[in-house]
Amino acid sequence: MTVAPSQDQIFSPRTVLILIGVSLFAMLASILVISFGNEQETYTTTRQNSFSVSAIGHKAFVNSLKHQNIPVLISQYKTAERLAPNSILMLLEPDLNFSKPEILEKLLTHETKILVLPKRRGARRDFQNPRWLSKTYLTSYDAPEKILKMVDPLASIYRPYHPRKEKSPPEEDLKTSPEEKTDLEKTPNESSGHDLGEVKEEPLDWTVTKIKDIPDLLNPQLMRSDKIEPLLATKDGILVGMMFGDLGTTIVISDPDILSNFGLGRGDNAAIMQYVVDFLRVGNNTIFVDETSHGFTRNPDFIRSAFEYPFIFVTLQVLIFTVLLIWATAQRFGTPQKTQPALKPGKAVLIQNTVNLLNAGDHKPEILVRYVDLTLHAMARRLRVPRHLDEADTIHWLDEYGRKHNVHMEFRVIKHRAQMLNSKTGPRSHSFMDVVHDKPLLQIALHLEKWKQEMLDGSGTDKLNQ
């Protein structure tokens, strides 16, 4: 059975229970989504960063760390100020187009870090999938060398199968030289991460192998340095090296293909990266992956976060509850309404209530007959009719009295009309036609009242005490 809300209630008890149930379900669903839901893609990008699923992106490598339950924090806000003393900083192909050199130099002062030099750029996106690339190319030598010289000013980059051409102007550091673009920009092959024009030469001779695994690279990029201790190198240059000094412990990786999405699964590349991470980690150190050097900045503002996934669900619930609260309490503001009395003063209310009761009973003819009888007895007492007379003789006595005093109506006729009306009237439904049916009753009652007044004094002014 549904309980209807009272005038003071906005919602019925059933509606309140439904709202509470829906709210609890939504809250539980939000908790489950936040706790166990898949991580939402934050950006759609094809560049070399941890959000990118393109061939040159780093998302696969970062996810592999997370799957090993290694604490990973992708930093997009003031990375240098948030680094913990024992944490590991990863600078994966920092881009000087998005990061100022002084900020990158400050990050390089962290105690433990991994620096991966840039090598490739994406030429254009794939039209069918905007998260993929349809073409890639090698950067000029200056792009990785500028970053390498921040840790060793005398170091240099060497590409065995693409020797250095004439140096590009400084403003074109991050662009591809015309010679390189002619050789590399041909029909793309996204699955392999390189162009079909790139031909893999004979395998390199890895003479320095403190890391026992052998990499599988396309057009490898090496570095030459006297300060960087080689961990994996050939006689021509270093692929993975380590530095100790004022900048702390730094592992430098010259070729990013070893950890990119297309290269991580080739040969022993994943094992080499696992070795590098395990070499630096002590205990359960957090790994900070800096994305500010790729132009990703996000201020950890509470208001902004409240309207982002997954906290938007909680925000919507709060807004809905706020609206319902305002709705439920709106009628409580302002001057209190005056309470209307249950009954108005005076006799009119009592008379009206009596009329309503009589109408509800639907016994008006019977009541009229009873009223006629009561009037008969009252007039008999008033006019001192002999008590030994029965009803018929009493009516005859009163009618004779009326003729002597010029009364226009006889009581016998009034009583006969009332009895006839009562005998002809059956049960009736309450409707507008009741007013029409009540007209004969009112006429008889008026005739009875007029007869009574004329019997008493002929003027109708004398009052009958009943």
Side-chain angles (χ1 to χ4, degrees):
M1 180 178 179
T2 304
V3 180
S6 65
Q7 295 181 352
D8 297 332
Q9 291 178 320
I10 296 296
F11 306 110
S12 66
R14 180 180 179 181
T15 304
V16 172
L17 291 177
I18 293 176
L19 289 175
I20 293 175
V22 171
S23 302
L24 292 176
F25 175 78
M27 183 176 296
L28 179 60
S30 301
I31 295 174
L32 293 176
V33 169
I34 294 173
S35 303
F36 304 104
N38 294 329
E39 187 174 337
Q40 180 79 1
E41 290 287 346
T42 309
Y43 302 100
T44 300
T45 174
T46 58
R47 302 182 67 87
Q48 57 279 16
N49 54 70
S50 59
F51 302 114
S52 175
V53 297
S54 70
I56 60 176
H58 311 142
K59 189 173 182 65
F61 171 65
V62 173
N63 284 347
S64 68
L65 297 177
K66 293 179 179 180
H67 291 163
Q68 299 177 63
N69 294 324
I70 297 176
V72 177
L73 177 61
I74 299 177
S75 177
Q76 302 178 67
Y77 180 73
K78 295 184 178 180
T79 304
E81 300 176 9
R82 301 168 64 195
L83 289 169
N86 296 327
S87 61
I88 300 173
L89 172 62
M90 283 190 174
L91 296 168
L92 307 180
E93 300 186 72
D95 193 337
L96 292 178
N97 282 334
F98 298 102
S99 178
K100 296 180 179 179
E102 54 268 24
I103 296 178
L104 187 56
E105 289 174 352
K106 184 177 181 180
L107 290 172
L108 288 172
T109 61
H110 185 62
E111 182 180 358
T112 308
K113 54 197 168 293
I114 298 173
L115 174 62
V116 181
L117 302 178
K119 174 184 174 183
R120 298 180 185 271
R121 290 290 186 269
R124 60 173 178 260
R125 292 186 178 184
D126 184 88
F127 290 107
Q128 296 181 351
N129 191 333
R131 301 188 300 169
W132 289 357
L133 288 170
S134 62
K135 192 180 292 295
T136 63
Y137 59 85
L138 295 177
T139 66
S140 67
Y141 271 71
D142 289 335
E145 274 188 352
K146 270 193 170 184
I147 298 173
L148 179 60
K149 291 181 181 297
M150 290 184 180
V151 295
D152 182 4
L154 301 179
S156 63
I157 292 295
Y158 174 68
R159 294 169 179 168
Y161 306 127
H162 290 276
R164 184 189 299 268
K165 306 294 181 181
E166 184 180 353
K167 186 173 181 180
S168 303
E171 63 272 13
E172 298 181 358
D173 283 344
L174 299 183
K175 298 179 181 179
T176 305
S177 63
E179 295 83 352
E180 290 173 337
K181 184 174 292 187
T182 301
D183 292 339
L184 296 179
E185 288 196 1
K186 297 184 179 180
T187 306
N189 185 346
E190 176 69 12
S191 62
S192 63
H194 67 289
D195 296 325
L196 295 179
E198 298 185 52
V199 179
K200 183 178 178 182
E201 305 290 344
E202 295 180 1
L204 298 177
D205 183 14
W206 301 97
T207 56
V208 179
T209 56
K210 292 184 179 180
I211 301 175
K212 302 302 180 182
D213 302 294
I214 304 300
D216 184 359
L217 302 173
L218 297 167
N219 297 320
Q221 174 176 279
L222 305 176
M223 57 188 169
R224 292 172 174 175
S225 171
D226 294 332
K227 292 184 178 181
I228 299 177
E229 176 186 348
L231 298 177
L232 184 59
T234 70
K235 59 182 178 60
D236 296 321
I238 304 170
L239 176 64
V240 182
M242 180 170 56
M243 287 184 62
F244 299 97
D246 297 337
L247 297 179
T249 302
T250 305
I251 289 185
V252 184
I253 300 175
S254 62
D255 195 326
D257 289 354
I258 199 172
L259 59 85
S260 64
N261 291 333
F262 86 88
L264 186 64
R266 300 174 65 92
D268 297 332
N269 293 351
I272 294 172
M273 289 307 303
Q274 186 68 50
Y275 175 90
V276 172
V277 173
D278 292 341
F279 181 82
L280 293 179
R281 289 188 74 233
V282 178
N284 199 31
N285 298 22
T286 300
I287 295 179
F288 280 76
V289 180
D290 177 64
E291 288 299 340
T292 61
S293 58
H294 296 136
F296 296 101
T297 56
R298 175 173 292 181
N299 191 337
D301 183 75
F302 171 78
I303 297 179
R304 179 175 179 178
S305 300
F307 291 93
E308 294 179 348
Y309 178 90
F311 303 106
I312 183 64
F313 297 113
V314 179
T315 304
L316 289 177
Q317 292 180 46
V318 173
L319 292 177
I320 292 173
F321 274 117
T322 302
V323 172
L324 292 177
L325 180 62
I326 294 175
W327 186 12
T329 57
Q331 64 178 0
R332 300 176 182 270
F333 295 99
T335 304
Q337 296 180 352
K338 295 182 179 180
T339 304
Q340 297 295 334
L343 296 176
K344 295 181 180 180
K347 298 180 180 179
V349 176
L350 298 177
I351 295 174
Q352 184 62 46
N353 288 340
T354 303
V355 172
N356 293 337
L357 290 174
L358 293 177
N359 288 332
D362 198 17
H363 295 290
K364 300 174 187 177
E366 292 87 346
I367 294 174
L368 178 61
V369 172
R370 179 62 178 165
Y371 178 63
V372 171
D373 292 339
L374 292 174
T375 303
L376 172 63
H377 296 303
M379 291 298 293
R381 290 194 302 271
R382 185 71 177 271
L383 298 177
R384 295 181 176 83
V385 177
R387 295 184 177 182
H388 65 277
L389 299 179
D390 57 11
E391 181 177 333
D393 293 337
T394 301
I395 294 174
H396 179 73
W397 191 95
L398 290 173
D399 288 341
E400 288 294 332
Y401 180 85
R403 282 192 289 271
K404 293 179 182 180
H405 291 81
N406 298 321
V407 176
H408 296 87
M409 291 176 289
E410 294 183 350
F411 184 83
R412 175 180 57 81
V413 176
I414 296 175
K415 182 176 176 62
H416 176 72
R417 290 179 179 177
Q419 290 176 340
M420 291 295 295
L421 186 63
N422 183 32
S423 62
K424 293 179 180 180
T425 306
R428 291 177 293 126
S429 59
H430 299 285
S431 65
F432 174 77
M433 294 303 296
D434 288 351
V435 178
V436 179
H437 296 154
D438 290 344
K439 186 176 181 180
L441 296 173
L442 295 175
Q443 290 177 347
I444 295 173
L446 290 175
H447 291 164
L448 180 63
E449 181 67 18
K450 185 177 180 180
W451 172 82
K452 181 173 62 176
Q453 295 299 333
E454 290 181 358
M455 287 289 288
L456 293 174
D457 56 8
S459 61
T461 56
D462 191 15
K463 304 299 178 181
L464 178 61
N465 296 322
Q466 298 185 15

